[in-house]
Amino acid sequence: MKISIDWLKEFVDLNISSQKVADILTMLGLEAEYGTNYSNIDGLIVGEIKECTKHPNADRLTLCKVFNGKKTLSVVCGAPNVDKGQKIAYAPVGTTLPGEVTISKVKIRGEVSEGMICSERELKISDEHDGIMILNQQAKVGSNFNNYVKSLNNTLELDITPNRPDCFSHLGVSRDLSAKLNKTLKPFDADPIPYKKNEAEKYISLKFENPDDCPRYIAGIVKNVKVGPSPDWLVNRLESIGQRSINNLVDISNFVMMELGQPTHIFDYDKLNSKQILIRRGKKGESLTTLDEIKRNVSPNELLITNGKSPLALAGIMGGLDSAVSAQTKTILIESAYFDAPTIRKGAKSLGMSTDASKRFERGADPNASESAFWRVIKLIEDLSIGDWVPGMVDPYPKKLIETQISLSREKLDSLSGVKIKSDFVHDILNKIGCNVNNKSENQWLCDIPSWRPDLERDVDLIEEIIRFYGYDKIPSKYHYQSIMNANEPDPHKCLDKIISIMAGLGFSQVFNNSLQSKDIISLLKIKSVKIMNPLSDTMSELRTSLFPGLLENIDFNYKNNNPDIMIFEWGNIYKQNKPGLKGIQEKLVISGVVHGYLNKPTVHRKKGRRFNFNVLKGSVKNLMDRLSIKNLTFNQTKNKADGLINCFEIQSNNHQLGFIGKVDTIFSDKMHLDINEVFGFQLDLDLLMELANKTPLFNSIVSYPLVERDLNFVLEENILIGSLLSTVKENGNDILKSVDPINIFRHNSLGNNKKSVTINLVFQSSTKTLEDKDVNHVIDEIIRVISNEYGAKLR
Amino acid sequence: MNLKESIESVRNNFRTDSDPFPTDSKSIELLYVKYLGRKGLVSDLFSQLINVSNKERPSIGKNLNQLKKEITNSFKIVDRSSSNIDSIEEDYTLPGLSFPTGYIHPLQQTMNEIKTIFMNVGFSIAYGPEIDDDFHNFGALNFPPEHPARDMQDTFFIDPDTVLRTHTSNVQIHLMENEEPPLRYIVPGRVYRNEAISFKSYCLFHQVEGIYVDKNVSFADHKGILEFFVKRMFGEQTKMRFRPSFFPFTEPSAEVDIWSEKSGQWLEILGSGMVDPEVFKSVNIDPDIWQGFAFGMGIERICMLKYEIDDIRLLYQGDMRFLEQF
């Protein structure tokens, strides 16, 4: 919301800079921003566009006649928003704009241009460059533009938190400011005008369907109105905070709203077609065309002002077009009401509307302000001689506001704030913000809560008020612990860090991807997914069931940016809807890695590069498990296409299903139109991994007896899998066989058709003695026997 | 020729045969079989050992083992699976051989740093569900029924009572439901907002929320802990301020800004405040006995400030040109 510093001065004496005012308000919780980065530009003046015609030789250019206060000059302008009658920033020939551009007299496509009409960006006021900067109509033609900016800059942009409806006005902001600066809040004239006989009752009566929706409604009548332009001071006030002047009546209503925070509405009395106003909820099938000329279908969600039959206005949101004030209006009805906040909020929400009035009502207005605002409007109408007030008003006030009191104890204040604040200060500040303290005590304060502060309900709310004015910056910073906390595990994810470091050590880089994916991709895996009711778009309509699609997109992105060799991993949740409802949703923490392209490109050191393949990835998984001390790892081929992998192997350790590894199914890259080659990937159950990795590995004595190595070279049928050969060797190796590794696979015609020669390296060691040939030989003989029998292998 | 001479003869023959060392796998294999095969020359020498006198056997045996080792080693430097041999260049001015290197995501690094700082001052860490019911995400946190955050425009719904959490505060509620105070936790995790994706906002981000409940935890303690955090995270000289603000679940509430010399302005980095008594009531903790503070910050925001990253989308693109910088 825009606030004018000059306007604030009507309520509080300010002899400090505008920047200082902004700083004070910010530190009070009314976040205020002041000023622009504009710095003076010599020679720049306010000009007025007297004439606008199309450039004869260029479609997008306009020929303008600009009046500089003395004479009219020709200027060619390229902005789409330029129009006759506008006040603009005019840079005459000779002006130097930011960026060292000096304006000179030029011919543009054959037409003379003497100067330039500037955009905000050209003046370094903002980044706005869609068109020229259009000034307020009150700007004085020929005057120094710097002065204009200065007057404009005398406003603050306030970001009001939802708990402070009272600060949607100059009065409310001034109240906080005066309390902080220790100045008196100047009185303003909104006292009732005395009258003898209530004539207004003859014109209008009120009926409430449900007083809860509208606890208070004040109506008054003004006759013989003369709708016309507002006086300069009123136009200036409104323009200073970015509001457009419409006519004297609408302007007064807006002025009072900006001044006191209370929205009022003015009806053309003759168009009500009734002497009774009924305030009721909308009915199905009813509609109303509002001031913005949009036909609104209403429902029981909205509160309406009606003439008993048809709707006249959306209560607290916007008036109706039919009953609006026009140039022909003779008699008006002035409404100043207090509507129930949740009712207005619900109505505005269901219509998708947000207006200056609804913003104030839905946060909580002040029922007493309805009365002061009413009198303020009447007085302004009388002062400006717009019409004749019909003495009296109608104010049934069917549901009176209950005045609240809050008691605050010294003990609570000290304990919660952590600082000892003097009683005088507490007493003083509470009074200044309108919370009258009923007793003068050191230990307990009993306060009346003012009607404009619906946010003050409990003692903690008063504590916030006190420390807000005391200054958050003046409260000391303490480190003061009373209790040792009873948590066994400081971080349940502590092994995650270790896993991430190992993955990085293995060469994998970490990524994070969106957990929202498109239905098309998710449906590729036959997993019941969790669906978003209100997705941002079709491409983000369901929660991911696998990390692979995101990782594939990362590969594709890098591939397209000349980075085809990729090792990446991600950890995060995948989601399944096992059964309907929240309880049927499973969030599962997994870690997945993928590889694509080359592990090593050829270099001077390594003549041949190495492509990623299944076994490279498998080695990485084995390394990861070794580092985490997860033992007895097995990879077992599964027939199922598990979670988007083909040629899929289950990774197990001692009956724990850790996850899967395989080639990532091309259905993803096909469906996602990705431009990538073979991808291998794994997915591991991260919760299980962290649990297993959390076990402390225990030290085994280092065996100092020598190792004995033997190589065996078998000739086998091509279709025999080496993995199974190795397990058979291990099973028959007794406990002195420490490791079995294939070190060469050789194929040659001399071996025979469909044969391969495999050299395996066996390492033996005993923990109790130096092994001799005889200890090893019988084990080797047994291995040779079994392998020969089971696989029909021949020793070479 | 005695065995000793035979050994030398085999050694010399191997030197001749292996210089140059064959480069194709077939020749390598043949060379291997000739010397180290089961019926190869070395094996033959071993079989002759039995004829040597007991006196000579240890020294000749040692020599023979040495020979086998030499020959075996010369095969080991060969890349058996390829027809190429790694070249061994002696020019030390060549660039070094680089190994595949993984990078840890800056967001992860930031998250770890935040966790470490709070663990240093005695906070434990908890995690909780990303998908939760209205009560844990809104109701228990004192969001009124008509609060804009409960709007479809701001929050992703699974069904009318189930949301993708909009903050990790839902875990605070689970914690307080399950544990007796005192408690002191931070909760990192992924949260969602129904926001269009741009350089400054994403439909999800990561958050760290914290809560400290005990008998006399004050606003001053809250300032102390968060000041400690900011100075550790951004440096001892960081200029910071606490300013009043509003959140439904804290009262009094504050926002913390740090001063950016570069942009010449205050930048908001976290929200905080004293836990609202209504929140305690909703989890059956007596607000007349217990009090405390809570805070929340976006990890992305902290990360972007720390590393001067100007577009949030970079964090979710997996662009190696980005990741390799951290």
Side-chain angles (χ1 to χ4, degrees):
Chain A
M1 184 188 56
K2 266 203 164 67
I3 287 280
S4 150
I5 302 252
D6 289 334
W7 201 336
L8 291 178
K9 287 178 182 166
E10 299 279 329
F11 293 105
V12 56
D13 284 328
L14 294 173
N15 45 13
I16 49 178
S17 73
S18 301
Q19 183 59 55
K20 184 84 188 148
V21 174
D23 291 346
I24 290 170
L25 289 174
T26 297
M27 293 309 283
L28 284 175
L30 308 172
E31 204 180 343
E33 213 175 311
Y34 167 71
T36 65
N37 297 323
Y38 176 78
S39 54
N40 283 359
I41 299 169
D42 287 339
L44 201 65
I45 58 167
V46 176
E48 184 179 356
I49 299 176
K50 290 286 187 194
E51 249 179 73
C52 245
T53 50
K54 268 195 74 172
H55 191 292
N57 307 320
D59 282 349
R60 297 208 179 134
L61 298 179
T62 314
L63 299 182
C64 303
K65 297 282 180 208
V66 175
F67 181 60
N68 70 0
K70 290 177 191 129
K71 57 179 182 172
T72 303
L73 301 141
S74 300
V75 179
V76 177
C77 179
N81 64 334
V82 66
D83 208 353
K84 188 181 157 184
Q86 285 169 344
K87 303 275 175 71
I88 44 88
Y90 170 63
V93 172
T95 314
T96 303
L97 296 180
E100 299 301 304
V101 187
T102 302
I103 308 295
S104 51
K105 185 168 171 175
V106 288
K107 265 194 177 176
I108 300 174
R109 299 240 178 155
E111 295 292 330
V112 173
S113 184
E114 303 166 280
M116 179 167 147
I117 303 171
C118 305
S119 72
E120 291 193 9
R121 185 153 85 171
E122 282 152 351
L123 303 178
K124 285 259 156 63
I125 287 177
S126 76
D127 269 345
E128 182 62 53
H129 62 286
D130 290 342
I132 53 163
M133 181 179 181
I134 298 163
L135 315 185
N136 289 341
Q137 274 306 312
Q138 303 308 307
K140 196 163 169 271
V141 177
S143 70
N144 190 332
F145 179 78
N146 300 329
N147 293 339
Y148 172 79
V149 173
K150 255 188 231 156
S151 73
L152 198 70
N153 269 359
N154 228 2
T155 60
L156 304 177
E157 188 64 45
L158 254 59
D159 193 359
I160 306 285
T161 53
N163 60 325
R164 293 301 304 274
D166 63 306
C167 283
F168 272 100
S169 67
H170 286 80
L171 171 66
V173 173
S174 302
R175 193 181 287 117
D176 267 25
L177 211 48
S178 69
K180 181 68 187 178
L181 296 171
N182 203 14
K183 295 194 166 168
T184 40
L185 187 66
K186 294 186 203 170
F188 58 95
D189 187 10
D191 298 333
I193 306 171
Y195 54 89
K196 287 196 184 102
K197 200 169 167 229
N198 196 345
E199 303 278 343
E201 284 172 355
K202 289 185 197 157
Y203 286 79
I204 201 76
S205 68
L206 296 169
K207 207 174 150 190
F208 300 83
E209 180 185 68
N210 180 359
D212 288 342
D213 289 343
C214 177
R216 189 172 197 181
Y217 195 102
I218 297 171
I221 305 290
V222 177
K223 289 192 299 189
N224 305 325
V225 297
K226 292 174 279 294
V227 179
S230 295
D232 284 355
W233 70 264
L234 184 52
V235 174
N236 286 343
R237 271 280 184 261
L238 291 175
E239 285 194 343
S240 73
I241 55 165
Q243 296 261 332
R244 208 159 46 92
S245 167
I246 295 166
N247 62 45
N248 48 10
L249 285 173
V250 175
D251 287 359
I252 286 173
S253 176
N254 284 336
F255 175 85
V256 172
M257 175 167 70
M258 296 302 170
E259 185 186 43
L260 307 180
Q262 167 71 31
T264 55
H265 184 67
I266 298 175
F267 293 95
D268 185 329
Y269 178 79
D270 298 320
K271 291 184 184 158
L272 299 182
N273 299 324
S274 167
K275 285 193 166 189
Q276 188 180 59
I277 281 179
L278 168 66
I279 299 147
R280 63 158 169 86
R281 292 295 183 111
K283 294 174 189 159
K284 247 191 161 166
E286 259 183 328
S287 67
L288 168 72
T289 302
T290 43
L291 281 172
D292 51 7
E293 299 181 25
I294 295 173
K295 190 175 164 189
R296 315 269 180 182
N297 293 318
V298 295
S299 73
N301 280 330
E302 293 86 33
L303 187 66
L304 301 177
I305 310 301
T306 72
N307 59 9
K309 292 189 202 93
S310 49
L312 301 169
L314 290 171
I317 303 174
M318 196 182 273
L321 188 61
D322 290 346
S323 56
V325 170
S326 69
Q328 289 74 43
T329 299
K330 291 279 168 267
T331 307
I332 56 170
L333 181 142
I334 297 159
E335 161 201 295
S336 184
Y338 172 68
F339 300 111
D340 175 54
T343 305
I344 302 303
R345 200 181 301 141
K346 208 188 262 173
K349 192 170 137 184
S350 89
L351 290 170
M353 296 174 76
S354 175
T355 61
D356 279 333
S358 73
K359 262 186 234 162
R360 286 166 173 81
F361 282 121
E362 68 187 29
R363 285 167 171 81
D366 170 9
N368 294 345
S370 339
E371 194 179 342
S372 43
F374 175 80
W375 291 117
R376 188 81 177 127
V377 170
I378 298 295
K379 285 184 177 181
L380 284 166
I381 287 175
E382 296 214 311
D383 286 354
L384 302 180
S385 312
I386 297 172
D388 306 322
W389 174 53
V390 175
M393 57 149 48
V394 181
D395 179 19
Y397 204 171
K399 196 184 170 210
K400 292 232 160 33
L401 172 85
I402 299 157
E403 290 189 355
T404 51
Q405 284 194 325
I406 299 174
S407 165
L408 170 67
S409 72
R410 158 61 74 182
E411 194 193 346
K412 185 75 181 270
L413 173 62
D414 291 355
S415 152
L416 204 73
S417 67
V419 63
K420 188 105 182 160
I421 300 172
K422 283 196 179 119
S423 294
D424 285 349
F425 180 86
V426 173
H427 196 93
D428 189 44
I429 213 71
L430 288 172
N431 278 327
K432 278 193 173 128
I433 59 168
C435 298
N436 292 322
V437 182
N438 288 319
N439 58 330
K440 191 121 184 146
S441 156
E442 289 283 315
N443 299 315
Q444 192 84 21
W445 297 275
L446 185 64
C447 308
D448 298 332
I449 302 306
S451 57
W452 60 82
R453 291 299 300 269
D455 59 314
L456 303 181
E457 294 175 312
R458 305 152 306 172
D459 52 1
V460 289
D461 301 322
L462 293 182
I463 293 172
E464 179 173 68
E465 293 305 295
I466 294 160
I467 64 172
R468 193 162 71 85
F469 284 98
Y470 182 77
Y472 278 15
D473 51 339
K474 287 213 197 88
I475 294 176
S477 298
K478 289 186 190 165
Y479 307 89
H480 146 249
Y481 285 139
Q482 301 125 39
S483 312
I484 299 293
M485 299 300 162
N486 181 25
N488 300 324
E489 184 56 77
D491 183 2
H493 281 186
K494 79 170 176 197
C495 290
L496 177 60
D497 293 345
K498 192 172 166 186
I499 293 167
I500 291 168
S501 306
I502 297 169
M503 289 304 292
L506 290 170
F508 287 84
S509 288
Q510 188 187 7
V511 299
F512 284 99
N513 282 309
N514 196 342
S515 23
L516 304 174
Q517 286 176 354
S518 98
K519 185 183 154 201
D520 291 351
I521 292 161
I522 285 182
S523 63
L524 296 174
L525 296 178
K526 307 292 176 217
I527 297 172
K528 276 205 163 170
S529 57
V530 181
K531 297 171 175 62
I532 311 284
M533 261 173 78
N534 54 330
L536 261 175
S537 73
D538 287 348
T539 57
M540 290 188 271
S541 57
E542 300 186 10
L543 283 158
R544 64 184 175 192
T545 53
S546 161
L547 300 184
F548 290 131
L551 292 166
L552 293 179
E553 271 181 351
N554 299 143
I555 294 173
D556 182 63
F557 182 90
N558 283 294
Y559 192 66
K560 288 185 170 126
N561 286 291
N562 299 316
N563 211 346
D565 308 317
I566 295 293
M567 298 174 86
I568 48 173
F569 78 99
E570 179 178 10
W571 67 269
N573 272 327
I574 56 175
Y575 314 78
K576 271 186 215 176
Q577 186 84 55
N578 291 329
K579 274 176 270 165
L582 176 59
K583 288 212 169 70
I585 292 174
Q586 184 197 1
E587 293 181 26
K588 186 179 171 179
L589 212 49
V590 295
I591 180 167
S592 286
V594 289
V595 292
H596 177 267
Y598 278 82
L599 169 64
N600 310 117
K601 277 280 166 69
T603 70
V604 60
H605 304 290
R606 201 186 272 131
K607 294 223 164 92
K608 197 175 172 191
R610 183 184 295 280
R611 255 191 179 285
F612 279 116
N613 60 30
F614 178 86
N615 284 322
V616 172
L617 187 66
K618 185 178 175 183
S620 302
V621 171
K622 172 74 166 69
N623 286 154
L624 170 67
M625 298 305 168
D626 284 346
R627 286 284 314 275
L628 298 174
S629 304
I630 295 174
K631 302 237 165 69
N632 299 330
L633 208 60
T634 58
F635 294 84
N636 307 312
Q637 187 150 27
T638 61
K639 292 231 166 60
N640 306 331
K641 276 197 205 174
D643 294 342
L645 293 174
I646 46 179
N647 292 332
C648 176
F649 285 69
E650 264 178 318
I651 307 168
Q652 287 181 314
S653 157
N654 299 334
N655 297 325
H656 292 296
Q657 295 279 358
L658 294 173
F660 301 94
I661 179 170
K663 191 179 149 188
V664 180
D665 202 330
T666 48
I667 50 170
F668 292 118
S669 43
D670 291 347
K671 187 82 192 177
M672 293 155 80
H673 308 294
L674 302 182
D675 204 8
I676 55 177
N677 299 321
E678 259 187 339
V679 175
F680 299 91
F682 68 80
Q683 174 184 311
L684 299 168
D685 179 333
L686 188 53
D687 276 321
L688 180 59
L689 210 57
M690 290 192 290
E691 185 195 319
L692 296 177
N694 202 17
K695 298 223 172 71
T696 309
L698 299 178
F699 169 70
N700 284 318
S701 305
I702 291 161
V703 178
S704 52
Y705 294 104
L707 297 171
V708 176
E709 276 188 74
R710 293 289 171 81
D711 290 351
L712 293 179
N713 191 335
F714 291 106
V715 177
L716 302 158
E717 290 292 329
E718 185 63 73
N719 61 5
I720 290 171
L721 296 174
I722 291 175
S724 90
L725 182 77
L726 298 178
S727 345
T728 311
V729 172
K730 272 182 212 156
E731 282 159 23
N732 291 283
N734 99 17
D735 60 354
I736 59 167
L737 178 61
K738 292 300 163 195
S739 74
V740 184
D741 275 305
I743 52 175
N744 192 24
I745 301 172
F746 171 69
R747 293 176 180 89
H748 191 252
N749 298 340
S750 64
L751 297 172
N753 254 356
N754 280 326
K755 300 269 181 173
K756 61 188 169 189
S757 150
V758 178
T759 310
I760 56 175
N761 174 264
L762 308 175
V763 177
F764 298 92
Q765 190 184 38
S766 158
S767 53
T768 53
K769 63 170 197 165
T770 300
L771 289 176
E772 294 178 48
D773 277 358
K774 66 176 192 311
D775 301 317
V776 175
N777 284 346
H778 78 271
V779 180
I780 291 187
D781 289 344
E782 177 61 12
I783 289 170
I784 294 170
R785 192 188 64 79
V786 174
I787 298 300
S788 306
N789 283 347
E790 283 191 21
Y791 297 94
K794 285 202 176 70
L795 207 57
R796 194 166 162 219
Chain B
M1 207 167 13
N2 65 23
L3 185 53
K4 209 169 162 185
E5 289 162 347
S6 303
I7 292 173
E8 281 318 301
S9 157
V10 170
R11 181 173 273 136
N12 285 330
N13 286 343
F14 183 74
R15 275 183 193 148
T16 316
D17 285 353
S18 64
D19 188 26
F21 205 90
T23 52
D24 64 299
S25 63
K26 190 182 146 200
S27 308
I28 294 173
E29 179 65 19
L30 290 174
L31 187 68
Y32 186 85
V33 171
K34 177 176 173 188
Y35 286 89
L36 296 176
R38 201 165 62 92
K39 289 174 183 161
L41 293 171
V42 174
S43 180
D44 184 50
L45 292 174
F46 271 104
S47 66
Q48 293 176 39
L49 204 55
I50 199 161
N51 305 323
V52 174
S53 71
N54 285 348
K55 200 178 134 213
E56 279 186 304
R57 197 178 292 147
S59 77
I60 292 182
K62 196 176 165 193
N63 195 350
L64 192 51
N65 275 322
Q66 178 64 31
L67 173 70
K68 188 184 176 191
K69 205 170 168 188
E70 282 168 20
I71 297 179
T72 310
N73 281 347
S74 57
F75 280 95
K76 279 191 177 158
I77 61 165
V78 176
D79 184 356
R80 285 163 193 271
S81 63
S82 82
S83 58
N84 279 286
I85 308 167
D86 282 359
S87 54
I88 300 166
E89 292 284 349
E90 294 285 345
D91 181 351
Y92 291 174
T93 63
L94 281 170
L97 170 62
S98 71
F99 288 81
T101 309
Y103 295 86
I104 298 178
H105 200 285
L107 199 58
Q108 183 77 46
Q109 296 188 41
T110 311
M111 201 184 298
N112 291 353
E113 210 174 332
I114 297 172
K115 286 196 320 195
T116 306
I117 295 170
F118 282 104
M119 277 160 76
N120 283 343
V121 283
F123 281 75
S124 298
I125 299 177
Y127 303 90
E130 289 177 25
I131 305 172
D132 215 334
D133 56 24
D134 180 89
F135 175 77
H136 287 90
N137 194 72
F138 292 127
L141 290 157
N142 197 29
F143 280 83
E146 298 292 333
H147 193 279
R150 289 182 157 184
D151 217 8
M152 296 278 251
Q153 279 156 17
D154 295 322
T155 302
F156 290 118
F157 285 81
I158 303 298
D159 63 48
D161 190 52
T162 309
V163 298
L164 290 185
R165 66 176 175 192
T166 56
H167 41 211
T168 58
S169 312
N170 64 324
V171 184
Q172 290 182 9
I173 301 300
H174 288 289
L175 282 170
M176 290 194 286
E177 282 174 331
N178 298 326
E179 283 182 37
E180 296 287 320
L183 40 93
R184 191 158 60 217
Y185 276 102
I186 60 163
V187 183
R190 184 171 276 209
V191 304
Y192 300 82
R193 303 275 166 94
N194 194 348
E195 273 177 17
I197 293 174
S198 74
F199 74 95
K200 57 179 180 182
S201 72
Y202 203 71
C203 53
L204 61 89
F205 60 99
H206 296 79
Q207 213 185 26
V208 172
E209 290 251 347
I211 188 163
Y212 177 14
V213 180
D214 205 337
K215 283 185 176 150
N216 284 305
V217 188
S218 69
F219 192 84
D221 295 321
H222 140 265
K223 275 189 74 178
I225 293 290
L226 292 178
E227 231 170 77
F228 175 84
F229 165 73
V230 168
K231 306 240 151 151
R232 279 291 171 98
M233 192 76 211
F234 295 101
E236 209 50 51
Q237 305 309 316
T238 311
K239 230 170 99 186
M240 64 182 291
R241 70 179 186 189
F242 288 78
R243 80 187 140 74
S245 187
F246 171 77
F247 305 105
F249 35 88
T250 49
E251 185 75 23
S253 302
E255 253 164 322
V256 177
D257 298 335
I258 59 171
W259 177 257
S260 157
E261 208 54 65
K262 199 181 163 200
S263 60
Q265 59 182 339
W266 290 101
L267 302 172
E268 185 188 317
I269 55 158
L270 62 89
S272 61
M274 304 305 291
V275 178
D276 196 288
E278 293 304 315
V279 176
F280 283 136
K281 283 184 201 161
S282 68
V283 290
N284 294 319
I285 289 178
D286 185 349
D288 290 330
I289 299 173
W290 301 101
Q291 63 190 40
F293 66 82
F295 56 88
M297 67 188 93
I299 303 175
E300 275 79 352
R301 181 152 178 85
I302 306 273
C303 172
M304 290 170 75
L305 281 173
K306 180 145 182 132
Y307 297 101
E308 298 185 2
I309 298 166
D310 55 8
D311 186 337
I312 193 168
R313 291 169 296 194
L314 286 166
L315 299 173
Y316 307 104
Q317 227 153 26
D319 187 342
M320 289 306 298
R321 296 167 299 183
F322 171 77
L323 297 171
E324 279 167 3
Q325 298 182 33
F326 305 99

